[in-house]
Amino acid sequence: MSLSTETADKPTLYKRIRADIEKRILTGEWPPGHRIPFEHELVARYGCSRMTVNKALSELAQADLIERRRRAGSFVRRPQHQSAVLKIADIRAEITALGRSYGYELIGRKQRTATAADRERLGVKKAGKVVAISCRHSADNVPFAVEDRLIDLSSVPSAATADFSNEPPGSWLLHHVPWTEAEHTISAIVADDRTAEALDIAVGAPCLVIDRYTWRSARTITAVRLLYPGDSHRLVARFKGG
Amino acid sequence: MSLSTETADKPTLYKRIRADIEKRILTGEWPPGHRIPFEHELVARYGCSRMTVNKALSELAQADLIERRRRAGSFVRRPQHQSAVLKIADIRAEITALGRSYGYELIGRKQRTATAADRERLGVKKAGKVVAISCRHSADNVPFAVEDRLIDLSSVPSAATADFSNEPPGSWLLHHVPWTEAEHTISAIVADDRTAEALDIAVGAPCLVIDRYTWRSARTITAVRLLYPGDSHRLVARFKGG
DNA sequence: TTGACTTATATGTCTAGACATATAATCGTA
DNA sequence: TACGATTATATGTCTAGACATATAAGTCAA
């Protein structure tokens, strides 16, 4: 029964409708399972055409905030705790975003025909050429992470001639390879001798491990393992894309 | 210049337009930065009204696959490696999904007026009542994770009388608290005496830590710390909602 | 009570227009 | 050459209709 709807505000009408509904869901006023007013009711309430409220509701459905069922109506969805948005920034961007100076150091780079271990790591069957890169990222001259990467040259031939001595391979790939899919696996290990030395931490200290496997339409691009000192690094994942 | 567009297929037209464009982006045929045909060109190609192609493009924009710029056109976006969807399942669901038997054991439960440490952990200023719960999850009778949780009773009064001796608090909250927001922080530690005993691992073994902080519209609900054996547990995050 | 059939209805998709608005491009001027 | 004003244009939003379709709800018979 609220009025104050006919005076046009700054945001567009469908956005206002969407925001109104979103607010009621987020505050808990309309709990999961609650039926949202029918389109024709919203049309009457906001004094607009059905296409306008339809656009608002469609976007809420696309964002998984509501569920639409023919003939039944639209309903608030139960929160899906099991998915969260994990921000895994490009390391250079991550460090500079923290206001710290970024340092990069190429430790080793080898080009070879893929070994059995390489093939398994990349998930490919054929034995093609690969580049193996190992490097270290630092923040304010303190080791931040060590990276151990394999690039499949049959998918990214230009990586054969790319110069990784100044640019980290992650940044290079981001700029040279089109849209990709990726899978991240996160685990924890304790530092062995080599890792401890590279990260300048004690042997046996905890490390956070990110294994990222990247492909594009069933074609492997790269596999990378990142090791962070576990007590100083944090990965933050936030539910609902905040 | 391809025809075969006037014979109606099973999917609706706008979905077909969206799928056509998505495919070209995913295969790399249209790389990041590439300008997608103008709406009026797509209108001509598909022989439909502008609203139809607009709906297709709007959804692609909402999914961050393309970027739309007034007067300039629509462009393929650069892949955003820095965000991935992390599936953090309810532990019971996670274990049963693996086909293993789920075991739950309440270790301790205390109700108290929030201490300074509790208040800091929950991010609240006022000293209200809280419930502190400690429990253990197991899979096939092997320790899977230990949980240490704080619930703010001023936000969730019904938790005061809830019985957590058989139902894990995470599952209970999922069913009793409306839509929430959450932030996850992931780190690594080495097991101390108490943790090692609870998880049946060696002292000094790596552990993956998830700290989850949950709230609803600026109101704190719960803070939980989950400890997993780091060498046996893996968190999988997949880019682009696979 | 149960199952099969019918009907009402809310959403799903689409059209052929309209005006608004941000901005890339162009043109003109200092 | 550099800067400011103008213009053209692609997207952004919206309307008042239309028909399609899945399905909840009601109806009727076995």
Side-chain angles (χ1 to χ4, degrees), chain A residues 4-205:
Chain A
S4 79
T5 57
E6 58 277 7
T7 58
D9 305 11
K10 334 96 195 187
T12 58
L13 183 51
Y14 96 86
K15 279 184 179 161
R16 198 155 62 83
I17 299 173
R18 173 160 60 76
D20 283 357
I21 295 169
E22 198 169 336
K23 189 176 167 192
R24 296 203 206 222
I25 294 174
L26 262 29
T27 58
E29 182 182 341
W30 287 349
H34 178 90
R35 211 207 73 228
I36 281 173
F38 294 128
E39 291 190 353
H40 66 82
E41 292 174 311
L42 292 169
V43 162
R45 164 129 58 209
Y46 287 95
C48 62
S49 78
R50 191 165 79 92
M51 277 299 283
T52 303
V53 310
N54 183 282
K55 177 157 184 165
L57 294 178
S58 295
E59 289 197 3
L60 289 170
Q62 214 192 332
D64 267 347
L65 229 71
I66 67 171
E67 182 189 348
R68 313 201 72 196
R69 290 207 298 270
R70 281 190 144 150
R71 163 75 210 240
S74 303
F75 301 83
V76 177
R77 277 180 66 101
R78 173 177 296 287
Q80 311 246 41
H81 261 210
Q82 68 272 23
S83 85
V85 176
L86 175 67
K87 295 222 162 187
I88 298 185
D90 172 63
I91 295 177
R92 181 163 60 182
E94 188 182 350
I95 291 173
T96 54
L98 290 168
R100 304 166 72 183
S101 75
Y102 174 72
Y104 168 74
E105 185 190 346
L106 181 64
I107 297 170
R109 179 205 164 122
K110 278 179 193 151
Q111 194 160 326
R112 59 173 180 251
T113 302
T115 64
D118 290 343
R119 289 203 301 277
E120 198 197 348
R121 197 169 157 207
L122 288 171
V124 295
K125 294 189 186 77
K126 289 176 293 187
K129 295 267 184 196
V130 298
V131 187
I133 296 155
S134 142
C135 58
R136 180 163 67 172
H137 308 267
S138 55
D140 288 342
N141 293 317
V142 175
F144 187 80
V146 288
E147 172 175 341
D148 185 23
R149 183 186 293 267
L150 224 49
I151 301 176
D152 186 338
L153 283 180
S154 62
S155 295
V156 194
S158 54
T161 55
D163 178 20
F164 296 123
S165 57
N166 285 308
E167 187 179 22
S171 303
W172 184 89
L173 283 166
L174 210 56
H175 287 87
H176 289 80
V177 177
W179 196 278
T180 56
E181 292 169 89
E183 186 172 287
H184 303 81
T185 302
I186 302 157
S187 55
I189 61 164
V190 291
D192 58 16
D193 293 13
R194 194 171 140 258
T195 306
E197 194 189 330
L199 286 176
D200 195 21
I201 57 177
V203 174

Side-chain angles (χ1 to χ4, degrees), chain B residues 128-151:
Chain B
K129 294 269 183 193
V130 298
V131 186
I133 296 156
S134 145
C135 58
R136 181 164 65 172
H137 308 266
S138 55
D140 289 340
N141 293 316
V142 175
F144 187 82
V146 288
E147 172 175 341
D148 188 24
R149 183 185 290 269
L150 224 50
I151 301 176

Side-chain angles (χ1 to χ4, degrees), chain A residues 26 62 81-84 86-89 174 179-180 182-186 188 215-216 230 234-237 239, chain B residues 26 62 77-78 81-84 86-88 180 182-186 188 216 230 234-239:
Chain A
L26 262 29
Q62 214 192 332
H81 261 210
Q82 68 272 23
S83 85
L86 175 67
K87 295 222 162 187
I88 298 185
L174 210 56
W179 196 278
T180 56
E183 186 172 287
H184 303 81
T185 302
I186 302 157
W215 70 96
R216 185 182 72 238
R234 261 122 219 289
L235 272 174
V236 176
F239 177 61
Chain B
L26 261 28
Q62 213 192 332
R77 277 181 67 103
R78 175 175 301 287
H81 263 211
Q82 67 271 25
S83 86
L86 175 67
K87 293 222 162 188
I88 299 185
T180 55
E183 189 173 287
H184 302 83
T185 302
I186 300 158
R216 185 181 73 236
R234 263 128 218 285
L235 271 174
V236 176
R238 197 154 165 173
F239 177 61

